[in-house]
Amino acid sequence: MTTPGRRERKKAATRRALSDAALGLFLARGFDKVTVAEIAEAADTAVSTLFAHFPAGKEALILGDGAERGRALAEAVRDRPQGTSILKALKDFLATRGPFEAEPDAYTRQVTELVVTTPALRAYARAMWTDNEESLTTVIAAETGRDADDLSLRLLARYVLEIPDIAGTAPNAPAALEVAFEHLTRGWPDL
């Protein structure tokens, strides 16, 4: 593996500075009371630099653009250990994310609380999950030898992708994750 060049390191540092500045301002004043200009100023960058790194705006500063989620979901299904069901692999994957983590670090706890309590961030997070419906359906179909147009697989993918929004806001999110997958397993016992 090659180490990133100077340019890539600078880009990563700028992205981190913008994300850190945004989180600090959001936690101090609330998401809706912070402007992109204030975030750029706090990170010592221009607003145009902020949008060059985060074209989706303020929400992306905290939650990213969703591309990583799609890749990670597909990998969870494709790279699951031999003998592990697709549903178990997806449950295990979600158990490592945000509100479902058993022992989250301070940053994860702060971001999770911010997302759950901020309607714009919660809606953005939900969209980032549900935008992966087609790709998750496709990978499940490929792994099971079924047709990607199978309505049952599309329904399963959508239900799985709604879990972070529904179960992730429960008082005991890890327990809610277990309940959600118990129900999914009853509906799709062969997956």
Side-chain angles (χ1 to χ4, degrees):
M1 181 174 193
T2 62
T3 56
R6 181 175 182 265
R7 183 179 178 129
E8 288 78 25
R9 289 191 313 270
K10 280 189 77 171
K11 283 183 181 181
T14 299
R15 289 179 64 82
R16 173 51 68 193
L18 285 162
S19 291
D20 289 348
L23 181 61
L25 289 168
F26 295 159
L27 291 173
R29 298 191 2 234
F31 178 82
D32 295 323
K33 294 181 180 167
V34 176
T35 67
V36 291
E38 291 170 319
I39 296 165
E41 176 69 26
D44 197 26
T45 66
V47 171
S48 60
T49 301
L50 183 149
F51 282 112
H53 287 279
F54 297 95
K58 287 182 0 180
E59 293 84 358
L61 285 157
I62 298 300
L63 295 167
D65 65 4
E68 177 274 333
R69 269 171 226 242
R71 285 189 301 275
L73 279 162
E75 287 172 10
V77 173
R78 275 196 305 266
D79 300 343
R80 70 190 187 283
Q82 183 74 23
T84 301
S85 73
I86 290 172
L87 286 173
K88 170 116 173 65
L90 288 167
K91 181 180 80 165
D92 291 349
F93 167 74
L94 287 176
T96 67
R97 306 298 288 224
F100 303 117
E101 285 188 53
E103 295 180 27
D105 59 30
Y107 178 82
T108 301
R109 277 194 307 276
Q110 289 176 320
V111 170
T112 299
E113 179 67 19
L114 182 65
V115 170
V116 168
T117 60
T118 306
L121 285 171
R122 186 170 171 195
Y124 182 82
R126 180 179 177 269
M128 284 190 1
W129 284 108
T130 58
D131 285 351
N132 291 294
E133 179 184 316
E134 185 174 334
S135 61
L136 183 58
T137 301
T138 300
V139 75
I140 293 171
E143 289 294 308
T144 59
R146 292 164 70 173
D147 191 286
D149 290 332
D150 182 332
L151 179 60
S152 177
L153 296 184
R154 184 165 298 286
L155 288 168
L156 173 62
R158 174 52 75 93
Y159 292 152
V160 167
L161 296 171
E162 292 287 358
I163 289 172
D165 184 54
I166 297 169
T169 59
N172 184 343
L177 178 69
E178 291 292 329
V179 169
F181 274 93
E182 285 173 17
H183 287 280
L184 292 177
T185 302
R186 281 190 228 134
W188 287 271
D190 59 328
L191 297 178

